[in-house]
Amino acid sequence: MIIVKAQNYDEISKKAASYIAAQVQLKPACVLGLATGSTPCGTYQELIRYHREEGLSFQKVRTINLDEYYGLPATHEQSYSHFMRKNLFDHIDILAENTHVPDGLATNPNAFGREYDELIASLGGIDMQLLGIGSNGHIAFNEPGNCFVAQTRLVDLNQNTIEDNARFFESAEEVPRQAISMGMKSILGAKRILILASGKGKADAVKGMLEGSVDPLLPASILQLHQNVTLIADLAALSQTAESVLQS
Ligand code: GLP
C-alpha cells in the first residue's frame, strides 16, 4: 500500500481530487467507485472546482456508489443518493443515467445486490474506487464480523456505526439499522483504490489496517491483498501508526 501523508484535511482533499481528475483525463469514459460520509466532501468540492475552473468534463464518466441506507428513498435528505447529488452530481456535467447508487427501497435487497454486482461487471469493473474508513475499520458498510462477504447485499449496521452516523440525523434513533453495501469482491475488483482517512478518530482503524493481519474484525485490512491501494491520510489519522510502517 502506498501511503501519502497530508498535513490536514484540506491537503487530503486536494491530493485525492488530483488523482481522480487524472483518472478522468486519462480515460474520460472511466468507471469511478464513489463514497459518502464526511471525508470525501472536500474531494468532491475540489472536483467541482476542476470542472468549473479547469474544464474537467465528466460527461462520459460512469459512477457506482458503495452503499445506501436501507429504507430511505432517494429523495430523503440523509440518503446517499441525495448526498451524491448535493455534493457532486448537481455541480458537474455528469449524466444522471450514468450514476448508480444502490436502491434503498429495493423490495428484495439481496437480489438487488446481485444485480448491482452484475452491473459493475458489465461496466467492465471499477477503474478507481474511492473509500473512506469507519472508526471501527469498516469500508462501505462492510462491518466487522467473522468473515469477509463477497457480494453486495443487505447488512445490519453496528451500534458504533449508528452512533458515528447519528450526527447527520436528528437523533441516533433515526439512523437506519440496515444498509445495502457493496461487497468485497466488487471493491477488490477495482483496478485502483484510493482510501482517505482524516482525524484522530480514525487513527486506530488506520493502524489496524496497516499493521495488523488481514482480519474480518477490521474489514479495511483486506486492502492489504490488493495490488494498487493508495492511502491518503493526515497526520492525526496516522498518529498511531508505527514510523517503521510509514517509511516502508
Ligand atoms: C459511513 C460510510 C462509509 C464511510 C464511513 C466513514 O458509514 N458507509 O463509506 O467511509 O462511514 O464516514 P466519515 O467519512 O463520515 O467518517
Side-chain angles (χ1 to χ4, degrees):
M1 192 177 302
I2 296 169
I3 303 171
V4 176
K5 271 193 223 172
Q7 290 302 312
N8 51 37
Y9 177 74
D10 207 39
E11 204 179 314
I12 292 177
S13 304
K14 290 204 165 82
K15 285 180 190 293
S18 72
Y19 284 109
I20 297 169
Q23 170 68 68
V24 173
Q25 271 156 350
L26 281 170
K27 186 178 174 187
C30 64
V31 178
L32 297 178
L34 297 178
T36 53
S38 49
T39 311
C41 286
T43 304
Y44 295 151
Q45 280 292 316
E46 186 62 12
L47 285 175
I48 293 167
R49 193 196 63 73
Y50 272 102
H51 171 64
R52 288 186 177 152
E53 295 176 16
E54 300 187 29
L56 183 69
S57 175
F58 294 80
Q59 238 172 3
K60 295 184 179 159
V61 170
R62 282 81 47 83
T63 65
I64 289 282
N65 261 80
L66 286 169
D67 44 18
E68 178 61 285
Y69 287 117
Y70 191 56
L72 296 193
T75 49
H76 191 286
E77 279 233 325
Q78 294 309 329
S79 73
Y80 285 165
S81 201
H82 183 267
F83 173 100
M84 289 309 303
R85 289 193 301 276
K86 188 178 82 177
N87 287 287
L88 184 64
F89 299 154
D90 283 354
H91 310 285
I92 57 175
D93 61 343
I94 196 158
L95 303 179
E97 63 265 34
N98 286 343
T99 66
H100 306 279
V101 180
D103 177 6
L105 296 183
T107 42
N108 185 339
N110 290 329
F112 175 86
R114 282 192 293 278
E115 285 165 22
Y116 203 68
D117 286 330
E118 283 162 20
L119 168 72
I120 295 168
S122 74
L123 293 173
I126 294 166
D127 291 296
M128 181 175 277
Q129 176 67 57
L130 182 64
L131 291 176
I133 182 169
S135 59
N136 64 3
H138 75 221
I139 49 175
F141 271 131
N142 292 285
E143 296 280 31
N146 51 17
C147 60
F148 293 108
V149 181
Q151 291 80 21
T152 298
R153 75 232 174 263
L154 186 65
V155 297
D156 294 327
L157 303 186
N158 275 14
Q159 190 54 33
N160 88 302
T161 297
I162 292 167
E163 284 161 18
D164 279 356
N165 289 359
R167 67 190 192 278
F168 300 111
F169 293 81
E170 297 277 308
S171 67
E173 281 66 54
E174 286 187 23
V175 183
R177 270 36 187 177
Q178 291 182 302
I180 296 176
S181 177
M182 193 188 286
M184 294 302 193
K185 189 175 176 192
S186 289
I187 294 175
L188 292 182
K191 295 175 186 77
R192 185 163 188 198
I193 294 175
L194 277 188
I195 179 164
L196 313 183
S198 174
K200 233 177 160 10
K202 303 294 172 69
D204 289 336
V206 168
K207 177 186 172 72
M209 169 177 74
L210 295 172
E211 293 181 15
S213 52
V214 176
D215 184 340
L217 288 173
L218 203 139
S221 64
I222 202 170
L223 299 177
Q224 292 175 27
L225 302 179
H226 194 279
Q227 297 295 329
N228 196 342
V229 181
T230 303
L231 165 68
I232 309 177
D234 58 21
L235 301 178
L238 293 171
S239 60
Q240 299 298 320
T241 303
E243 202 51 42
S244 54
V245 173
L246 297 180
Q247 273 159 12
S248 63

mmCIF file of all heavy atoms in Angstrom, residues 26-68:
data_model
loop_
_atom_site.group_PDB
_atom_site.id
_atom_site.type_symbol
_atom_site.label_atom_id
_atom_site.label_comp_id
_atom_site.label_asym_id
_atom_site.label_seq_id
_atom_site.Cartn_x
_atom_site.Cartn_y
_atom_site.Cartn_z
ATOM 1 N N LEU A 26 -7.224 10.761 -18.202
ATOM 2 C CA LEU A 26 -6.605 9.637 -18.923
ATOM 3 C C LEU A 26 -7.636 8.755 -19.610
ATOM 4 O O LEU A 26 -7.393 8.223 -20.685
ATOM 5 C CB LEU A 26 -5.821 8.761 -17.935
ATOM 6 C CG LEU A 26 -4.458 9.285 -17.527
ATOM 7 C CD1 LEU A 26 -3.907 8.449 -16.382
ATOM 8 C CD2 LEU A 26 -3.504 9.253 -18.729
ATOM 9 N N LYS A 27 -8.793 8.572 -18.951
ATOM 10 C CA LYS A 27 -9.830 7.703 -19.504
ATOM 11 C C LYS A 27 -11.184 8.375 -19.275
ATOM 12 O O LYS A 27 -11.832 8.138 -18.247
ATOM 13 C CB LYS A 27 -9.764 6.326 -18.805
ATOM 14 C CG LYS A 27 -10.701 5.300 -19.385
ATOM 15 C CD LYS A 27 -10.537 3.945 -18.677
ATOM 16 C CE LYS A 27 -11.574 2.961 -19.152
ATOM 17 N NZ LYS A 27 -11.554 1.705 -18.391
ATOM 18 N N PRO A 28 -11.605 9.226 -20.204
ATOM 19 C CA PRO A 28 -12.836 10.002 -19.988
ATOM 20 C C PRO A 28 -14.075 9.133 -19.731
ATOM 21 O O PRO A 28 -14.996 9.571 -19.051
ATOM 22 C CB PRO A 28 -12.984 10.805 -21.279
ATOM 23 C CG PRO A 28 -11.570 10.936 -21.786
ATOM 24 C CD PRO A 28 -10.895 9.638 -21.426
ATOM 25 N N ALA A 29 -14.105 7.907 -20.238
ATOM 26 C CA ALA A 29 -15.268 7.036 -20.001
ATOM 27 C C ALA A 29 -14.986 6.057 -18.860
ATOM 28 O O ALA A 29 -15.462 4.921 -18.876
ATOM 29 C CB ALA A 29 -15.629 6.296 -21.277
ATOM 30 N N CYS A 30 -14.232 6.504 -17.875
ATOM 31 C CA CYS A 30 -13.864 5.586 -16.780
ATOM 32 C C CYS A 30 -15.052 5.323 -15.859
ATOM 33 O O CYS A 30 -16.062 6.022 -15.887
ATOM 34 C CB CYS A 30 -12.696 6.155 -15.976
ATOM 35 S SG CYS A 30 -13.087 7.681 -15.130
ATOM 36 N N VAL A 31 -14.884 4.277 -15.038
ATOM 37 C CA VAL A 31 -15.881 3.940 -14.016
ATOM 38 C C VAL A 31 -15.278 4.313 -12.663
ATOM 39 O O VAL A 31 -14.248 3.767 -12.257
ATOM 40 C CB VAL A 31 -16.231 2.434 -14.054
ATOM 41 C CG1 VAL A 31 -17.235 2.095 -12.948
ATOM 42 C CG2 VAL A 31 -16.784 2.048 -15.425
ATOM 43 N N LEU A 32 -15.920 5.289 -12.007
ATOM 44 C CA LEU A 32 -15.447 5.706 -10.689
ATOM 45 C C LEU A 32 -16.342 5.087 -9.624
ATOM 46 O O LEU A 32 -17.573 5.195 -9.703
ATOM 47 C CB LEU A 32 -15.507 7.234 -10.553
ATOM 48 C CG LEU A 32 -14.633 8.076 -11.486
ATOM 49 C CD1 LEU A 32 -14.878 9.569 -11.217
ATOM 50 C CD2 LEU A 32 -13.151 7.737 -11.306
ATOM 51 N N GLY A 33 -15.728 4.478 -8.635
ATOM 52 C CA GLY A 33 -16.465 3.998 -7.466
ATOM 53 C C GLY A 33 -16.450 5.124 -6.441
ATOM 54 O O GLY A 33 -15.371 5.633 -6.111
ATOM 55 N N LEU A 34 -17.614 5.539 -5.974
ATOM 56 C CA LEU A 34 -17.661 6.715 -5.100
ATOM 57 C C LEU A 34 -18.174 6.380 -3.702
ATOM 58 O O LEU A 34 -18.922 5.417 -3.506
ATOM 59 C CB LEU A 34 -18.529 7.798 -5.739
ATOM 60 C CG LEU A 34 -17.994 8.324 -7.083
ATOM 61 C CD1 LEU A 34 -18.942 9.368 -7.663
ATOM 62 C CD2 LEU A 34 -16.586 8.882 -6.965
ATOM 63 N N ALA A 35 -17.745 7.218 -2.764
ATOM 64 C CA ALA A 35 -18.054 7.001 -1.355
ATOM 65 C C ALA A 35 -18.815 8.196 -0.797
ATOM 66 O O ALA A 35 -18.776 9.293 -1.356
ATOM 67 C CB ALA A 35 -16.747 6.824 -0.578
ATOM 68 N N THR A 36 -19.464 7.970 0.320
ATOM 69 C CA THR A 36 -20.144 9.061 1.025
ATOM 70 C C THR A 36 -19.485 9.230 2.393
ATOM 71 O O THR A 36 -18.383 8.741 2.617
ATOM 72 C CB THR A 36 -21.648 8.742 1.148
ATOM 73 O OG1 THR A 36 -21.757 7.450 1.727
ATOM 74 C CG2 THR A 36 -22.330 8.783 -0.202
ATOM 75 N N GLY A 37 -20.173 9.930 3.300
ATOM 76 C CA GLY A 37 -19.570 10.227 4.599
ATOM 77 C C GLY A 37 -18.957 11.617 4.531
ATOM 78 O O GLY A 37 -18.932 12.248 3.463
ATOM 79 N N SER A 38 -18.436 12.089 5.646
ATOM 80 C CA SER A 38 -17.889 13.454 5.651
ATOM 81 C C SER A 38 -16.531 13.527 4.961
ATOM 82 O O SER A 38 -16.174 14.557 4.379
ATOM 83 C CB SER A 38 -17.793 13.981 7.082
ATOM 84 O OG SER A 38 -17.174 13.023 7.898
ATOM 85 N N THR A 39 -15.771 12.445 4.986
ATOM 86 C CA THR A 39 -14.391 12.506 4.478
ATOM 87 C C THR A 39 -14.290 12.918 3.003
ATOM 88 O O THR A 39 -13.466 13.772 2.683
ATOM 89 C CB THR A 39 -13.665 11.170 4.732
ATOM 90 O OG1 THR A 39 -13.874 10.820 6.108
ATOM 91 C CG2 THR A 39 -12.182 11.283 4.456
ATOM 92 N N PRO A 40 -15.083 12.344 2.082
ATOM 93 C CA PRO A 40 -14.875 12.723 0.672
ATOM 94 C C PRO A 40 -15.464 14.071 0.265
ATOM 95 O O PRO A 40 -15.273 14.492 -0.879
ATOM 96 C CB PRO A 40 -15.548 11.583 -0.103
ATOM 97 C CG PRO A 40 -16.529 10.997 0.826
ATOM 98 C CD PRO A 40 -16.070 11.260 2.221
ATOM 99 N N CYS A 41 -16.157 14.777 1.176
ATOM 100 C CA CYS A 41 -16.813 16.040 0.782
ATOM 101 C C CYS A 41 -15.821 17.043 0.193
ATOM 102 O O CYS A 41 -16.096 17.677 -0.835
ATOM 103 C CB CYS A 41 -17.539 16.666 1.973
ATOM 104 S SG CYS A 41 -19.043 15.774 2.387
ATOM 105 N N GLY A 42 -14.662 17.197 0.830
ATOM 106 C CA GLY A 42 -13.663 18.143 0.331
ATOM 107 C C GLY A 42 -13.124 17.723 -1.026
ATOM 108 O O GLY A 42 -12.822 18.563 -1.884
ATOM 109 N N THR A 43 -12.998 16.429 -1.225
ATOM 110 C CA THR A 43 -12.532 15.907 -2.520
ATOM 111 C C THR A 43 -13.548 16.271 -3.607
ATOM 112 O O THR A 43 -13.180 16.709 -4.700
ATOM 113 C CB THR A 43 -12.372 14.377 -2.443
ATOM 114 O OG1 THR A 43 -11.487 14.070 -1.366
ATOM 115 C CG2 THR A 43 -11.844 13.794 -3.739
ATOM 116 N N TYR A 44 -14.835 16.104 -3.283
ATOM 117 C CA TYR A 44 -15.868 16.437 -4.265
ATOM 118 C C TYR A 44 -15.876 17.945 -4.556
ATOM 119 O O TYR A 44 -16.032 18.359 -5.705
ATOM 120 C CB TYR A 44 -17.240 15.938 -3.779
ATOM 121 C CG TYR A 44 -17.318 14.426 -3.681
ATOM 122 C CD1 TYR A 44 -18.146 13.786 -2.763
ATOM 123 C CD2 TYR A 44 -16.555 13.610 -4.530
ATOM 124 C CE1 TYR A 44 -18.219 12.401 -2.679
ATOM 125 C CE2 TYR A 44 -16.615 12.231 -4.449
ATOM 126 C CZ TYR A 44 -17.446 11.625 -3.519
ATOM 127 O OH TYR A 44 -17.505 10.244 -3.439
ATOM 128 N N GLN A 45 -15.679 18.749 -3.519
ATOM 129 C CA GLN A 45 -15.594 20.208 -3.721
ATOM 130 C C GLN A 45 -14.488 20.549 -4.717
ATOM 131 O O GLN A 45 -14.648 21.372 -5.610
ATOM 132 C CB GLN A 45 -15.233 20.890 -2.389
ATOM 133 C CG GLN A 45 -16.390 21.081 -1.446
ATOM 134 C CD GLN A 45 -17.364 22.092 -2.006
ATOM 135 O OE1 GLN A 45 -16.957 23.124 -2.512
ATOM 136 N NE2 GLN A 45 -18.653 21.778 -1.954
ATOM 137 N N GLU A 46 -13.372 19.902 -4.532
ATOM 138 C CA GLU A 46 -12.211 20.150 -5.380
ATOM 139 C C GLU A 46 -12.469 19.647 -6.808
ATOM 140 O O GLU A 46 -12.044 20.288 -7.782
ATOM 141 C CB GLU A 46 -10.995 19.466 -4.731
ATOM 142 C CG GLU A 46 -9.660 19.708 -5.349
ATOM 143 C CD GLU A 46 -9.180 21.165 -5.358
ATOM 144 O OE1 GLU A 46 -9.767 22.018 -4.683
ATOM 145 O OE2 GLU A 46 -8.212 21.425 -6.087
ATOM 146 N N LEU A 47 -13.180 18.534 -6.948
ATOM 147 C CA LEU A 47 -13.517 18.047 -8.302
ATOM 148 C C LEU A 47 -14.470 19.024 -8.992
ATOM 149 O O LEU A 47 -14.373 19.236 -10.207
ATOM 150 C CB LEU A 47 -14.148 16.650 -8.228
ATOM 151 C CG LEU A 47 -13.166 15.515 -7.933
ATOM 152 C CD1 LEU A 47 -13.911 14.192 -7.758
ATOM 153 C CD2 LEU A 47 -12.113 15.367 -9.040
ATOM 154 N N ILE A 48 -15.375 19.607 -8.207
ATOM 155 C CA ILE A 48 -16.278 20.616 -8.777
ATOM 156 C C ILE A 48 -15.445 21.807 -9.271
ATOM 157 O O ILE A 48 -15.689 22.353 -10.346
ATOM 158 C CB ILE A 48 -17.331 21.051 -7.725
ATOM 159 C CG1 ILE A 48 -18.263 19.870 -7.407
ATOM 160 C CG2 ILE A 48 -18.122 22.265 -8.204
ATOM 161 C CD1 ILE A 48 -19.134 20.072 -6.167
ATOM 162 N N ARG A 49 -14.430 22.173 -8.505
ATOM 163 C CA ARG A 49 -13.542 23.266 -8.925
ATOM 164 C C ARG A 49 -12.807 22.903 -10.233
ATOM 165 O O ARG A 49 -12.714 23.709 -11.149
ATOM 166 C CB ARG A 49 -12.536 23.583 -7.813
ATOM 167 C CG ARG A 49 -11.791 24.895 -8.012
ATOM 168 C CD ARG A 49 -10.566 25.016 -7.138
ATOM 169 N NE ARG A 49 -9.546 24.006 -7.425
ATOM 170 C CZ ARG A 49 -8.761 24.002 -8.500
ATOM 171 N NH1 ARG A 49 -8.859 24.944 -9.408
ATOM 172 N NH2 ARG A 49 -7.868 23.033 -8.684
ATOM 173 N N TYR A 50 -12.320 21.651 -10.308
ATOM 174 C CA TYR A 50 -11.657 21.212 -11.555
ATOM 175 C C TYR A 50 -12.612 21.368 -12.736
ATOM 176 O O TYR A 50 -12.214 21.768 -13.826
ATOM 177 C CB TYR A 50 -11.252 19.731 -11.469
ATOM 178 C CG TYR A 50 -9.886 19.472 -10.884
ATOM 179 C CD1 TYR A 50 -9.750 19.040 -9.574
ATOM 180 C CD2 TYR A 50 -8.729 19.616 -11.657
ATOM 181 C CE1 TYR A 50 -8.498 18.771 -9.028
ATOM 182 C CE2 TYR A 50 -7.477 19.348 -11.129
ATOM 183 C CZ TYR A 50 -7.369 18.932 -9.807
ATOM 184 O OH TYR A 50 -6.139 18.665 -9.282
ATOM 185 N N HIS A 51 -13.876 21.008 -12.485
ATOM 186 C CA HIS A 51 -14.861 21.099 -13.569
ATOM 187 C C HIS A 51 -15.095 22.557 -13.961
ATOM 188 O O HIS A 51 -15.048 22.909 -15.143
ATOM 189 C CB HIS A 51 -16.172 20.443 -13.122
ATOM 190 C CG HIS A 51 -17.294 20.670 -14.072
ATOM 191 N ND1 HIS A 51 -17.288 20.192 -15.366
ATOM 192 C CD2 HIS A 51 -18.442 21.394 -13.950
ATOM 193 C CE1 HIS A 51 -18.380 20.591 -15.988
ATOM 194 N NE2 HIS A 51 -19.092 21.323 -15.160
ATOM 195 N N ARG A 52 -15.334 23.403 -12.948
ATOM 196 C CA ARG A 52 -15.685 24.802 -13.233
ATOM 197 C C ARG A 52 -14.512 25.624 -13.736
ATOM 198 O O ARG A 52 -14.657 26.427 -14.646
ATOM 199 C CB ARG A 52 -16.216 25.463 -11.967
ATOM 200 C CG ARG A 52 -17.590 24.951 -11.612
ATOM 201 C CD ARG A 52 -18.165 25.725 -10.437
ATOM 202 N NE ARG A 52 -19.510 25.249 -10.157
ATOM 203 C CZ ARG A 52 -20.073 25.296 -8.971
ATOM 204 N NH1 ARG A 52 -19.411 25.811 -7.941
ATOM 205 N NH2 ARG A 52 -21.298 24.837 -8.796
ATOM 206 N N GLU A 53 -13.349 25.407 -13.133
ATOM 207 C CA GLU A 53 -12.235 26.312 -13.452
ATOM 208 C C GLU A 53 -11.256 25.728 -14.463
ATOM 209 O O GLU A 53 -10.536 26.459 -15.115
ATOM 210 C CB GLU A 53 -11.471 26.681 -12.163
ATOM 211 C CG GLU A 53 -12.348 27.479 -11.213
ATOM 212 C CD GLU A 53 -11.656 27.777 -9.894
ATOM 213 O OE1 GLU A 53 -10.421 27.650 -9.805
ATOM 214 O OE2 GLU A 53 -12.390 28.111 -8.945
ATOM 215 N N GLU A 54 -11.218 24.398 -14.541
ATOM 216 C CA GLU A 54 -10.213 23.812 -15.435
ATOM 217 C C GLU A 54 -10.841 22.996 -16.559
ATOM 218 O O GLU A 54 -10.157 22.285 -17.282
ATOM 219 C CB GLU A 54 -9.221 22.989 -14.610
ATOM 220 C CG GLU A 54 -8.521 23.888 -13.586
ATOM 221 C CD GLU A 54 -7.398 23.223 -12.840
ATOM 222 O OE1 GLU A 54 -6.778 22.308 -13.406
ATOM 223 O OE2 GLU A 54 -7.149 23.623 -11.702
ATOM 224 N N GLY A 55 -12.160 23.039 -16.631
ATOM 225 C CA GLY A 55 -12.853 22.403 -17.745
ATOM 226 C C GLY A 55 -12.860 20.880 -17.715
ATOM 227 O O GLY A 55 -13.080 20.241 -18.749
ATOM 228 N N LEU A 56 -12.626 20.291 -16.542
ATOM 229 C CA LEU A 56 -12.667 18.820 -16.477
ATOM 230 C C LEU A 56 -14.102 18.353 -16.724
ATOM 231 O O LEU A 56 -15.027 18.782 -16.043
ATOM 232 C CB LEU A 56 -12.186 18.346 -15.094
ATOM 233 C CG LEU A 56 -12.108 16.829 -14.922
ATOM 234 C CD1 LEU A 56 -10.972 16.239 -15.770
ATOM 235 C CD2 LEU A 56 -11.889 16.460 -13.448
ATOM 236 N N SER A 57 -14.250 17.473 -17.703
ATOM 237 C CA SER A 57 -15.601 17.005 -18.048
ATOM 238 C C SER A 57 -15.837 15.584 -17.533
ATOM 239 O O SER A 57 -14.979 14.710 -17.630
ATOM 240 C CB SER A 57 -15.777 17.026 -19.571
ATOM 241 O OG SER A 57 -17.043 16.460 -19.886
ATOM 242 N N PHE A 58 -17.043 15.392 -17.008
ATOM 243 C CA PHE A 58 -17.459 14.073 -16.503
ATOM 244 C C PHE A 58 -18.541 13.470 -17.404
ATOM 245 O O PHE A 58 -19.230 12.534 -17.009
ATOM 246 C CB PHE A 58 -18.002 14.212 -15.069
ATOM 247 C CG PHE A 58 -16.958 14.618 -14.065
ATOM 248 C CD1 PHE A 58 -16.569 15.946 -13.931
ATOM 249 C CD2 PHE A 58 -16.342 13.666 -13.257
ATOM 250 C CE1 PHE A 58 -15.601 16.330 -13.003
ATOM 251 C CE2 PHE A 58 -15.372 14.037 -12.333
ATOM 252 C CZ PHE A 58 -14.997 15.376 -12.207
ATOM 253 N N GLN A 59 -18.665 14.030 -18.607
ATOM 254 C CA GLN A 59 -19.775 13.632 -19.465
ATOM 255 C C GLN A 59 -19.793 12.153 -19.814
ATOM 256 O O GLN A 59 -20.844 11.575 -20.016
ATOM 257 C CB GLN A 59 -19.751 14.458 -20.736
ATOM 258 C CG GLN A 59 -21.044 15.194 -20.870
ATOM 259 C CD GLN A 59 -21.039 16.187 -21.990
ATOM 260 O OE1 GLN A 59 -20.060 16.308 -22.741
ATOM 261 N NE2 GLN A 59 -22.127 16.892 -22.105
ATOM 262 N N LYS A 60 -18.613 11.553 -19.886
ATOM 263 C CA LYS A 60 -18.574 10.125 -20.253
ATOM 264 C C LYS A 60 -18.353 9.224 -19.041
ATOM 265 O O LYS A 60 -18.336 7.998 -19.167
ATOM 266 C CB LYS A 60 -17.454 9.895 -21.267
ATOM 267 C CG LYS A 60 -17.716 10.608 -22.577
ATOM 268 C CD LYS A 60 -16.643 10.271 -23.584
ATOM 269 C CE LYS A 60 -16.903 10.956 -24.897
ATOM 270 N NZ LYS A 60 -15.696 11.069 -25.715
ATOM 271 N N VAL A 61 -18.128 9.829 -17.874
ATOM 272 C CA VAL A 61 -17.811 9.041 -16.673
ATOM 273 C C VAL A 61 -19.047 8.291 -16.197
ATOM 274 O O VAL A 61 -20.168 8.800 -16.244
ATOM 275 C CB VAL A 61 -17.300 9.989 -15.554
ATOM 276 C CG1 VAL A 61 -17.195 9.266 -14.222
ATOM 277 C CG2 VAL A 61 -15.957 10.600 -15.952
ATOM 278 N N ARG A 62 -18.843 7.047 -15.741
ATOM 279 C CA ARG A 62 -19.894 6.281 -15.073
ATOM 280 C C ARG A 62 -19.509 6.170 -13.597
ATOM 281 O O ARG A 62 -18.312 6.023 -13.295
ATOM 282 C CB ARG A 62 -20.024 4.867 -15.661
ATOM 283 C CG ARG A 62 -20.771 4.782 -17.007
ATOM 284 C CD ARG A 62 -19.981 5.127 -18.251
ATOM 285 N NE ARG A 62 -18.668 4.514 -18.362
ATOM 286 C CZ ARG A 62 -18.463 3.269 -18.835
ATOM 287 N NH1 ARG A 62 -19.469 2.538 -19.252
ATOM 288 N NH2 ARG A 62 -17.231 2.791 -18.924
ATOM 289 N N THR A 63 -20.479 6.261 -12.715
ATOM 290 C CA THR A 63 -20.157 6.138 -11.290
ATOM 291 C C THR A 63 -21.000 5.057 -10.634
ATOM 292 O O THR A 63 -22.143 4.806 -11.021
ATOM 293 C CB THR A 63 -20.387 7.460 -10.529
ATOM 294 O OG1 THR A 63 -21.782 7.774 -10.548
ATOM 295 C CG2 THR A 63 -19.583 8.602 -11.123
ATOM 296 N N ILE A 64 -20.379 4.452 -9.645
ATOM 297 C CA ILE A 64 -21.016 3.385 -8.871
ATOM 298 C C ILE A 64 -20.783 3.739 -7.407
ATOM 299 O O ILE A 64 -19.627 3.888 -6.993
ATOM 300 C CB ILE A 64 -20.303 2.045 -9.178
ATOM 301 C CG1 ILE A 64 -20.620 1.550 -10.588
ATOM 302 C CG2 ILE A 64 -20.618 0.991 -8.161
ATOM 303 C CD1 ILE A 64 -21.987 0.909 -10.722
ATOM 304 N N ASN A 65 -21.851 3.901 -6.644
ATOM 305 C CA ASN A 65 -21.647 4.203 -5.223
ATOM 306 C C ASN A 65 -21.593 2.939 -4.386
ATOM 307 O O ASN A 65 -22.125 1.890 -4.751
ATOM 308 C CB ASN A 65 -22.734 5.140 -4.710
ATOM 309 C CG ASN A 65 -22.234 6.562 -4.672
ATOM 310 O OD1 ASN A 65 -22.210 7.224 -5.710
ATOM 311 N ND2 ASN A 65 -21.791 7.020 -3.505
ATOM 312 N N LEU A 66 -20.923 3.101 -3.260
ATOM 313 C CA LEU A 66 -20.679 1.937 -2.400
ATOM 314 C C LEU A 66 -21.911 1.419 -1.678
ATOM 315 O O LEU A 66 -22.047 0.215 -1.465
ATOM 316 C CB LEU A 66 -19.665 2.321 -1.308
ATOM 317 C CG LEU A 66 -18.216 2.483 -1.713
ATOM 318 C CD1 LEU A 66 -17.433 3.128 -0.580
ATOM 319 C CD2 LEU A 66 -17.620 1.117 -2.071
ATOM 320 N N ASP A 67 -22.761 2.344 -1.237
ATOM 321 C CA ASP A 67 -23.795 1.878 -0.307
ATOM 322 C C ASP A 67 -24.955 2.855 -0.213
ATOM 323 O O ASP A 67 -24.892 3.966 -0.720
ATOM 324 C CB ASP A 67 -23.189 1.617 1.089
ATOM 325 C CG ASP A 67 -22.237 2.714 1.546
ATOM 326 O OD1 ASP A 67 -22.284 3.821 0.975
ATOM 327 O OD2 ASP A 67 -21.454 2.466 2.478
ATOM 328 N N GLU A 68 -26.003 2.393 0.443
ATOM 329 C CA GLU A 68 -27.189 3.221 0.690
ATOM 330 C C GLU A 68 -27.907 2.685 1.918
ATOM 331 O O GLU A 68 -27.944 1.469 2.155
ATOM 332 C CB GLU A 68 -28.131 3.164 -0.529
ATOM 333 C CG GLU A 68 -29.425 3.947 -0.397
ATOM 334 C CD GLU A 68 -29.224 5.459 -0.179
ATOM 335 O OE1 GLU A 68 -28.854 5.832 0.965
ATOM 336 O OE2 GLU A 68 -29.437 6.230 -1.132
#
